[in-house]
């Protein structure tokens, strides 16, 4: 089999980029694998949409059966997104003996266990490097290059859209909606951008990273998830004034007792490298017991960076076509029978420093009430900022940075503070990275 036929499911941002790279690097791919690749057919939803020039000689269809039932197609590349009907299509492709490459983190995070079991049963490969970190080869790095380590933590910026929005709000003073519209126009956002904004996309990616790093089952439902919807331009400004940047982080840590999986905005000291990862860029810190800290940085979304990962997976599959399935790298880094569960630590049980922003009535005794509540919950204050807002003369914004405290105690303190008559509106709480601890 010197020419390998591919069926593309999806010809949008990533599908178009993939087609472009396959044309641009056809000779290089042949030199690397000894095979010629031909895109035999591509699935779309709307035949009338304009397609990239590279698609001119590709047969386009709206019927998935023309790809899934075509015995001449050896590899299916799924770049549609969402869990259905993609789950059904991928399982059909596997059952038909086709290898599958996907960039779909929702599908892998939520249905990976079923898909991997089906792939093992049918002796085919499922590759998903593009599902996490766009063009950063983070899955290969953790699963293969860091296999000599016990991975202790994986933490970083894994969603390009939210990082782009936070950066544009800070650097160019854009409003949230305007920054989101730009991210969508650039092809970074999910079809439903609430997946980006609410942290669901980052949680999908974290579930995949944690499973591979720790050899545990995919546990998307166990990821504590907060998005960036509550972060205002004011918070970004106050954080800057205090020497921090606000980043949306995905954090997976383990100790002897439990695994911690959480996605939320975090204040990071400006001297830290992660604080300077801006725009669509992603960066992932992996801590291994032998190697120490490693940092992986690159474009986290966009047509060509993501296609770079898809094509790398394709090269892997082409190289492995004639290899014994037993010689393949296991999907989650450990052999299926060796996946070990660890209890999940609830968010309430984490120990973190906090940024709090309250809007209070400006009269004597208000600060005393707030500090008393914090003291009652054994939370000590590290820094305070009080800046009158001329547009709101009846209230005073107070910004507090606390030392590390238990999340459960902070929840109780926030509850008590929000019941004070002098506190107006909701209290913003953002976790803070201190002394290298998340
Ligand atoms: P996209 O631009 O919206 O493209 C989706 C493609 O799938 C389009 O060609 C669309 O057809 C087709 N499609 C959607 N629903 C269909 C249906 N029911 N039947 C047939 N065709 C259908 O999406 P994308 O940004 O390329 O993302 C694709 C996947 O890659 C997603 O899983 C996403 O999470 C993942 N991903 C994206 C990025 C990124 O930067 N965009 C990065 C990493 C991973 P039409 O063209 O006719 O509408
Ligand atoms: N919507 C995703 C992001 C695409 O912005 O990171 C890349 O996975």
């Amino acid at each position: 089999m010197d020419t390998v036929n591919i069926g593309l499911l999806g010809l949008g941002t990533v599908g178009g980029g993939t087609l472009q790279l396959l044309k641009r690097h056809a000779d290089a791919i042949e030199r690397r694998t000894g095979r010629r690749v031909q895109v035999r057919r591509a699935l779309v939803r709307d035949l009338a949409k304009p397609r990239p020039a590279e698609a001119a000689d590709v047969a386009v269809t709206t019927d998935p059966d023309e790809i899934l039932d075509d015995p001449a197609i050896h590899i299916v590349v799924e770049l549609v997104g969402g869990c259905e009907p993609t789950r059904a299509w991928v399982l059909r492709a596997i059952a038909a003996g086709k290898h599958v490459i996907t960039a779909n983190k929702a599908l892998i995070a939520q249905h990976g266990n079923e898909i991997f079991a089906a792939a093992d049963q049918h002796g085919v490969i499922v590759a998903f490097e593009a599902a996490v970190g766009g063009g950063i080869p983070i899955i290969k790095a953790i699963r293969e290059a860091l296999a000599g380590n016990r991975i202790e933590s994986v933490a970083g910026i894994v969603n390009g859209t939210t990082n782009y929005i936070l950066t544009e709000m800070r650097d160019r003073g854009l409003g949230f909606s305007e920054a989101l519209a730009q991210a969508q126009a650039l092809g970074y956002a999910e079809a439903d951008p609430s997946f980006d904004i609410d942290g669901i996309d980052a949680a999908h990616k974290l579930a995949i990273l944690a499973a591979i790093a720790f050899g545990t089952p995919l546990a998307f439902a166990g990821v504590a998830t907060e998005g960036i919807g509550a972060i205002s331009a004011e918070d970004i400004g106050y954080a800057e004034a205090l020497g921090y940047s606000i980043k949306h982080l995905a954090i997976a840590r383990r100790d002897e007792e439990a695994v911690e999986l959480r996605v939320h905005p975090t204040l990071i000291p400006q001297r830290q490298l992660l604080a300077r990862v801006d725009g669509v860029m992603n960066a992932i810190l992996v801590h291994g017991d032998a190697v120490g800290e490693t940092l992986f940085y690159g474009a986290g979304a966009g047509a060509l960076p993501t296609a770079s990962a898809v094509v790398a997976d394709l090269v892997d599959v082409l190289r492995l076509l004639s290899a014994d399935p037993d010689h393949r790298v296991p999907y989650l880094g450990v052999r299926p029978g060796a996946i070990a569960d660890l209890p999940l630590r609830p968010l309430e049980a984490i120990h973190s420093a906090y940024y709090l922003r309250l809007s209070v009535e400006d009269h004597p005794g208000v600060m005393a009430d707030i500090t008393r509540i914090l003291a009652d919950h054994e939370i000590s204050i590290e820094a305070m900022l009080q800046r009158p807002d001329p547009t709101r003369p009846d209230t005073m914004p107070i910004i507090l940075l606390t030392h590390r405290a238990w999340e459960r105690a902070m929840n109780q303190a926030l509850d008590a503070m929000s019941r004070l008559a002098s506190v107006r509106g909701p209290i913003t709480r953002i976790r803070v990275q201190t002394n290298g601890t998340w």
Side-chain angles (χ1 to χ4, degrees):
M1 186 205 304
D2 288 328
T3 296
V4 175
N5 290 319
I6 293 181
L8 270 185
L9 302 178
L11 199 46
T13 302
V14 185
T18 299
L19 205 51
Q20 201 179 324
L21 280 197
L22 289 178
K23 298 267 169 171
R24 189 194 292 177
H25 296 314
D27 291 341
I29 292 168
E30 189 172 2
R31 283 172 57 216
R32 288 178 181 141
T33 65
R35 322 243 184 205
R36 202 88 203 150
V37 169
Q38 188 184 347
V39 177
R40 193 167 155 92
R41 197 161 283 116
L43 176 78
V44 297
R45 193 172 26 193
D46 178 359
L47 288 173
K49 259 193 198 173
R51 301 291 163 191
E54 290 80 7
D57 59 351
V58 174
V60 178
T61 178
T62 55
D63 180 1
D65 296 353
E66 288 189 22
I67 291 173
L68 300 171
D69 293 340
D70 182 346
I73 288 179
H74 312 109
I75 301 173
V76 167
V77 182
E78 186 277 303
L79 303 171
V80 167
C83 286
E84 290 297 347
T86 51
R87 173 180 154 275
W89 292 343
V90 162
L91 289 172
R92 269 182 66 194
I94 290 171
K98 301 180 195 307
H99 302 287
V100 172
I101 295 166
T102 179
N104 189 337
K105 46 276 164 133
L107 182 68
I108 295 297
Q110 298 193 61
H111 301 288
N113 296 327
E114 179 189 18
I115 289 169
F116 299 152
D120 279 342
Q121 189 192 340
H122 292 278
V124 299
I125 303 169
V126 175
F128 51 96
E129 181 64 65
V132 185
I136 307 172
I138 188 67
I139 290 178
K140 202 182 241 304
I142 298 178
R143 207 166 54 178
E144 299 176 45
L146 294 174
N149 288 262
R150 174 189 151 96
I151 305 293
E152 313 285 4
S153 66
V154 180
I157 298 163
V158 295
N159 184 273
T161 300
T162 47
N163 205 40
Y164 182 88
I165 292 171
L166 291 173
T167 306
E168 291 294 297
M169 286 171 72
R170 183 195 64 195
D171 292 353
R172 299 209 294 131
L174 288 195
F176 190 98
S177 311
E178 204 183 340
L180 170 60
Q182 286 193 2
Q184 288 178 295
L186 290 163
Y188 303 154
E190 295 302 300
D192 175 354
S194 70
F195 275 62
D196 299 292
I197 304 309
D198 296 342
I200 301 161
D201 178 76
H204 286 143
K205 292 166 176 168
L206 187 70
I208 297 171
L209 287 177
I212 290 171
F214 306 147
T216 48
L218 289 157
F220 167 65
V223 182
T225 306
E226 273 176 32
I228 61 164
I231 306 294
S232 66
E234 287 168 286
D235 295 314
I236 293 172
Y238 290 133
E240 288 282 308
L242 289 160
Y244 293 85
S245 288
I246 300 181
K247 293 292 172 189
H248 190 239
L249 292 192
I251 301 167
R253 298 197 318 164
R254 74 161 158 193
D255 53 32
E256 296 310 322
E257 288 148 28
V259 171
E260 211 170 286
L261 301 176
R262 48 192 167 103
V263 164
H264 52 69
T266 309
L267 263 74
I268 305 182
Q270 277 158 357
R271 65 178 180 282
Q272 302 272 340
L273 282 173
L274 275 189
R276 284 177 266 139
V277 173
D278 290 333
V280 73
M281 304 309 277
N282 282 189
I284 302 158
L285 284 164
V286 184
H287 195 277
D289 65 340
V291 73
E293 196 150 90
T294 55
L295 176 65
F296 299 84
Y297 171 84
L304 289 185
T306 311
S308 158
V310 172
V311 173
D313 271 349
L314 178 63
V315 167
D316 265 357
V317 172
L318 294 172
R319 284 173 172 156
L320 287 168
L321 278 179
S322 52
D324 180 340
D326 267 355
H327 295 154
R328 294 176 189 154
V329 179
Y331 299 113
L332 298 181
V334 295
R335 299 183 70 78
I339 291 173
D341 222 342
L342 268 176
L344 277 173
R345 177 168 293 127
L347 191 58
E348 279 226 309
I350 70 162
H351 202 225
S352 175
Y354 297 90
Y355 159 104
L356 304 178
R357 178 168 58 82
L358 307 86
S359 193
V360 299
E361 290 169 9
D362 191 11
H363 59 68
V366 173
M367 268 315 289
D369 288 342
I370 291 167
T371 51
R372 179 182 42 75
I373 290 173
L374 289 171
D376 286 349
H377 291 86
E378 297 187 5
I379 299 166
S380 70
I381 297 171
E382 193 205 330
M384 199 188 93
L385 207 61
Q386 202 174 348
R387 285 196 177 159
D389 179 350
T391 64
R392 290 184 222 152
D394 54 329
T395 57
M396 171 74 76
I398 293 178
I399 290 81
L400 297 170
L401 278 187
T402 76
H403 287 288
R404 277 152 61 80
W406 295 105
E407 177 103 355
R408 186 175 292 111
M410 180 54 81
N411 289 344
Q412 290 165 355
L414 287 173
D415 188 45
M417 285 191 279
S418 65
R419 280 189 274 109
L420 290 173
S422 51
V423 171
R424 300 272 191 89
I427 302 172
T428 300
R429 170 254 302 270
I430 309 175
R431 295 168 193 88
V432 180
Q433 190 218 14
T434 45
N435 301 329
T437 308
W438 309 102

